[in-house]
Amino acid sequence: MSEPLLVVRGLSVDFALPGGAHRALDSVSLTVRRGETVGIVGESGCGKTTLARAILGLERPSAGSIEFRSPRGVEGLGMVWQDPSASLDPRWTVARSVAEPARIHRKQADVGALLREVGLDESHGSRFPHELSGGQRQRVAIARALSLRPDLLICDEPTAALDLSIQSQILNLIRDEQRKLGFSVLYISHDLPTVRFLCDRIVVLYLGRIVEEGPSGDLFEHPLHPYTRMLLDSVPSVEKVGQLPPGGVGEIGSRPDRGCVFAPRCPYAEDRCRSEAPPLRGGQGRQAACWKPLGATGPSDV
Ligand SMILES: Nc1ncnc2c1ncn2[C@@H]1O[C@H](COP(=O)(O)OP(=O)(O)OP(=O)(O)O)[C@@H](O)[C@H]1O
Ligand SMILES: [Mg+2]
């Protein structure tokens, strides 16, 4: 196994709201190794973007630590956001946007080469974002994120704002660049098939807590947590059309005062689940926070 590059330990992030503090991340621990692709999945509001922002130093943790073991510090971090229109300055040419990280770090960027690398033409450099398609804009954002040769590329739903036909091009671009350059990827998405395609390992978040993690194949084939099972069951497939989704009920809710965060929606919740929070436990790299993991002692006929 390669060495750890990003080590997050016991990370909590709170937001001050009029009604009191809102805990967006609760004791999250995860490791991304060199060259590894780790997926973060979970419904809207579970804390995915907050995690990315905390790693980038844009949110202040209320507990825990974030250790990024790149000898180059923040220079070794690249970021691709969901909406390329919002992440590129509309008044700047493409060339200026791509060269910006290098300028900040007092370096030179070969903008033409970077544009060619992401499948654009050098002549795109003199254009403005509004003169490009959504897919082209995301290619520009990727060229910028790769310009300083990151050790870790964080992608927060990088294809969610794009047409379906363009999404796979962008995914393939990220995967091809990773194969060529060898960086690690933290890939945030609620699109499970995409995450399975791209990631070695998956971390499942629910209301700011990690409820399950494991190698991609195993997690998809044998989910241990009822929430993971519910996410997988909600992926549309040809066979499922016309059927009601089985398993859990309702939408992401508010965090219960005690017990398992998923208990209010879990079809298997028992008294203990409502009173005592299950710890994340299991073997090396394969863990779930559940008192009755599926397939082990729990029901397997969801
Ligand atoms: N600046 C903020 N102030 C107050 N609450 C916030 C702030 N940013 C995020 N939150 C809250 O923290 C929780 C996690 O939000 P976050 O944006 O990290 O979720 P997400 O998993 O990225 O969701 P999505 O899939 O919709 O992008 C949500 O309840 C959100 O309302
Ligand atoms: Mg988000």
Side-chain angles (χ1 to χ4, degrees), residues 80-81 84 88 94 98 114-121 124 132-147 158 162 165-174 176-177:
V80 180
W81 299 103
L88 297 174
V94 162
V98 172
L114 285 163
L115 290 176
R116 283 195 302 275
E117 192 172 304
V118 297
L120 293 171
D121 191 83
H124 284 105
L132 303 177
S133 69
Q136 287 172 329
R137 281 198 287 265
Q138 199 57 302
R139 287 177 191 272
V140 171
I142 292 170
R144 182 180 58 184
L146 297 181
S147 64
L162 303 176
S165 58
I166 309 296
Q167 291 184 1
S168 57
Q169 293 178 16
I170 295 297
L171 283 179
N172 284 323
L173 173 63
I174 293 170
D176 292 348
E177 288 301 301

Side-chain angles (χ1 to χ4, degrees), residues 42-53:
E43 288 160 294
S44 184
C46 71
K48 303 182 298 294
T49 297
T50 304
L51 176 63
R53 290 179 51 85

Side-chain angles (χ1 to χ4, degrees), residues 147-184:
S147 64
L148 293 176
R149 297 297 183 234
D151 294 302
L152 174 66
L153 183 70
I154 302 179
C155 302
D156 188 356
E157 310 255 18
T159 65
L162 303 176
D163 287 353
L164 208 57
S165 58
I166 309 296
Q167 291 184 1
S168 57
Q169 293 178 16
I170 295 297
L171 283 179
N172 284 323
L173 173 63
I174 293 170
R175 196 193 49 176
D176 292 348
E177 288 301 301
Q178 183 191 23
R179 286 189 178 158
K180 203 163 70 193
L181 302 169
F183 50 81
S184 310

Side-chain angles (χ1 to χ4, degrees), residues 87-111:
S87 63
L88 297 174
D89 192 318
R91 298 160 305 176
W92 288 8
T93 62
V94 162
R96 183 169 172 197
S97 281
V98 172
E100 179 68 3
R103 190 191 63 77
I104 291 170
H105 292 279
R106 295 165 203 262
K107 296 196 166 162
Q108 288 290 320
D110 185 344
V111 173

Side-chain angles (χ1 to χ4, degrees), residues 2-9 11 28-36 38 40 51-57 65-71 73-74 76-78 151-155 184-188 201 203 213:
S2 58
E3 62 188 275
L5 174 66
L6 175 74
V7 181
V8 176
R9 286 199 192 92
L11 177 69
V28 166
S29 297
L30 63 95
T31 297
V32 180
R33 295 176 176 279
R34 282 202 176 266
E36 190 182 35
V38 175
I40 306 284
L51 176 63
R53 290 179 51 85
I55 294 167
L56 291 165
S65 63
I66 299 164
E67 218 184 301
F68 181 51
R69 299 185 185 166
S70 165
V74 287
L77 269 179
D151 294 302
L152 174 66
L153 183 70
I154 302 179
C155 302
S184 310
V185 178
L186 190 66
Y187 193 88
I188 293 170
R201 221 149 48 73
V203 171
E213 68 171 302

